[in-house]
Amino acid sequence: MRILVLANTPAHVHLYRHAVDRLERAGHDVLVLTREYACTTDLLDYFDMPYRVYGDHETDGYSALGFARELGGQFLTIGTEAVRFDPDVIFGRGPYAAYAGTLSRSPVVLVLDDEPGDFNHTVSRPFADCILSPEVTRRDLGDAHYTFDGFKECAYLHPDVFEADDDVREYLDVEPDEPYVLVRFNALDALHDTDLEGFRPEQRRDLIERLSEDATVFVSDEGGEMDLRDLPARSYDLHPALIHDAMAEADLLVADTGTMATEAALLGTPAFRYRGTDDHEYGEFQELERAGLAEQFDSYDAVRDRSLEILAADDADARWQRKRREYAADLVNLTDLLVDVATSRGELERLDRSTKRVLQPRSRSM
């Protein structure tokens, strides 16, 4: 079989990397189409995934005309590569996957989550042969939409899949019993981040200074603009492929971005998200809050004070790990599901009974 995967962001690489590896080892031909955005190609290289680049994703100094030209060039390259590869099935999300499927006349499987905005869903839904999303996703995308009990992050953080690198503390140069915190600042440059604001500059500085009183602070600044020279913090500078290992060992993650907070929660690390001006209610995050694995805050003072409270609690790590074991044990291993759906060419009726049981039709008309 020939499987085409559209991976536009680092999160997409993690979503598919184990499935791609298993499909290749089973003798299937897999190609990933990607763009130069953040550390996406760095991850593809690290995990030795077969890929071709269809374009860049620039966010600075953009005009509407420039964006249109770039988009046109990307669609041309994607179409050319898809027709040349002639896939049996395509995985992705949004208009890129839909376009590739239309030109190559291949089945399209969309793997979605509860992101804000309806543009991607509206554009791609009519072209999808199968849509998969977590059960907590609140949208109903029609008869082709099926849900599973879990999160898209279960493709790489499910207990049956994730294996932590025991040497990550050595890479970070922290002692075995040294508490440390990961602080993630969002660049807020994605389409769905338009007009959003996370931590303000003065809040970033205050947060770092207060957390550093109780722990070593590592800062992951997605925008790459923060100067840490006069602050009691270290830049998180490990290879991006090791971020989940660092999260798993951390005493706390504080962020103004949703993905890393969700990931930390699924690893059993206290995960606190500052919403800022983002008033979208994410189904995944609400579920993790219900499970006691994550918390989100509308007030900066509240997230700061709660962070300090957790760092002062001697039993926080044990409590979160216990909650993670109890909660994650029953979640779907999404990599298993992706592999099964790929080998069925996106035709769910061809799945075996055990795989079918983990999927539920979302459409209220069914």
Side-chain angles (χ1 to χ4, degrees):
M1 283 186 59
R2 302 169 72 80
I3 298 105
L4 181 65
V5 176
L6 277 294
N8 299 327
T9 70
H12 298 166
V13 176
H14 288 299
L15 170 62
Y16 292 110
R17 62 186 176 91
H18 290 293
V20 168
D21 178 60
R22 283 177 49 180
L23 288 165
E24 284 196 304
R25 286 191 283 110
H28 301 292
D29 193 2
V30 184
L31 174 64
V32 178
L33 289 183
T34 190
R35 61 186 177 184
E36 293 285 357
Y37 171 65
C39 61
T40 304
T41 54
D42 291 333
L43 290 173
L44 288 164
D45 287 329
Y46 186 92
F47 296 119
D48 195 25
M49 296 170 68
Y51 73 92
R52 294 175 191 159
V53 176
Y54 65 75
D56 297 331
H57 177 62
E58 299 292 341
T59 58
D60 295 329
Y62 245 11
S63 65
L65 180 60
F67 178 75
R69 287 174 177 170
E70 179 190 87
L71 201 61
Q74 292 181 1
F75 272 107
L76 178 62
T77 303
I78 289 170
T80 301
E81 294 288 355
V83 170
R84 180 184 298 153
F85 187 64
D86 189 23
D88 294 292
V89 64
I90 295 173
F91 283 81
R93 63 187 297 151
Y96 292 130
Y99 178 70
T102 299
L103 284 190
S104 63
R105 298 182 179 180
S106 306
V108 174
V109 178
L110 303 179
V111 184
L112 307 177
D113 56 9
D114 208 12
E115 71 168 16
D118 294 316
F119 175 75
N120 282 337
H121 304 321
T122 301
V123 171
S124 57
R125 170 183 169 180
F127 303 94
D129 296 86
C130 173
I131 301 173
L132 304 178
S133 76
E135 193 278 330
V136 295
T137 302
R138 292 157 298 170
R139 292 182 177 86
D140 179 349
L141 298 175
D143 291 349
H145 185 188
Y146 288 79
T147 65
F148 57 91
D149 187 10
F151 305 80
K152 64 179 177 56
E153 290 82 5
C154 287
Y156 52 98
L157 297 181
H158 189 279
D160 293 342
V161 176
F162 179 74
E163 295 182 12
D165 188 330
D166 295 333
D167 294 327
V168 71
R169 281 185 171 269
E170 180 180 342
Y171 304 152
L172 290 169
D173 192 24
V174 294
E175 297 297 324
D177 58 350
E178 181 179 348
Y180 72 85
V181 178
L182 284 175
V183 178
R184 171 69 163 182
F185 296 131
N186 200 341
L188 296 173
D189 60 358
L191 180 63
H192 57 256
D193 292 329
T194 303
D195 298 326
L196 294 184
E197 180 183 273
F199 288 110
R200 297 195 302 272
E202 67 274 15
Q203 292 172 338
R204 292 184 177 196
R205 296 180 63 88
D206 181 64
L207 180 67
I208 290 170
E209 290 172 350
R210 295 296 300 276
L211 292 176
S212 69
E213 297 172 6
D214 297 304
T216 298
V217 178
F218 290 95
V219 175
S220 173
D221 179 21
E222 189 179 25
E225 300 175 350
M226 191 164 185
D227 187 352
L228 299 177
R229 286 176 296 182
D230 62 341
L231 288 170
R234 295 156 59 182
S235 175
Y236 175 82
D237 58 3
L238 298 188
H239 192 284
L242 297 173
I243 187 61
H244 302 116
D245 305 287
M247 279 189 209
E249 274 291 303
D251 291 74
L252 172 67
L253 177 125
V254 185
D256 54 6
T257 177
T259 297
M260 282 186 64
T262 299
E263 291 171 334
L266 287 172
L267 289 167
T269 297
F272 297 163
R273 174 177 176 258
Y274 174 52
R275 291 160 58 103
T277 59
D278 186 0
D279 60 0
H280 180 77
E281 294 293 343
Y282 298 86
E284 292 92 340
F285 212 82
Q286 288 181 322
E287 173 64 11
L288 290 169
E289 282 189 295
R290 185 196 64 78
L293 290 166
E295 300 175 24
Q296 61 182 344
F297 304 84
D298 296 321
S299 159
Y300 165 69
D301 289 347
V303 68
R304 179 198 60 202
D305 294 347
R306 178 64 171 143
S307 298
L308 296 173
E309 178 185 345
I310 283 294
L311 287 179
D314 294 334
D315 64 341
D317 178 66
R319 285 190 285 125
W320 254 260
Q321 287 299 322
R322 183 181 67 253
K323 287 185 285 190
R324 185 234 184 185
R325 287 192 300 270
E326 293 171 352
Y327 179 72
D330 296 327
L331 298 180
V332 169
N333 180 334
L334 183 54
T335 287
D336 286 346
L337 179 58
L338 293 176
V339 169
D340 289 346
V341 172
T343 54
S344 75
R345 291 179 168 83
E347 299 176 21
L348 300 189
E349 63 272 12
R350 299 177 59 182
L351 296 172
D352 61 38
R353 288 184 179 181
S354 62
T355 304
K356 285 181 179 179
R357 280 197 293 268
V358 307
L359 291 172
Q360 297 296 323
R362 168 48 58 92
S363 178
R364 296 176 181 87
S365 64
M366 297 185 68

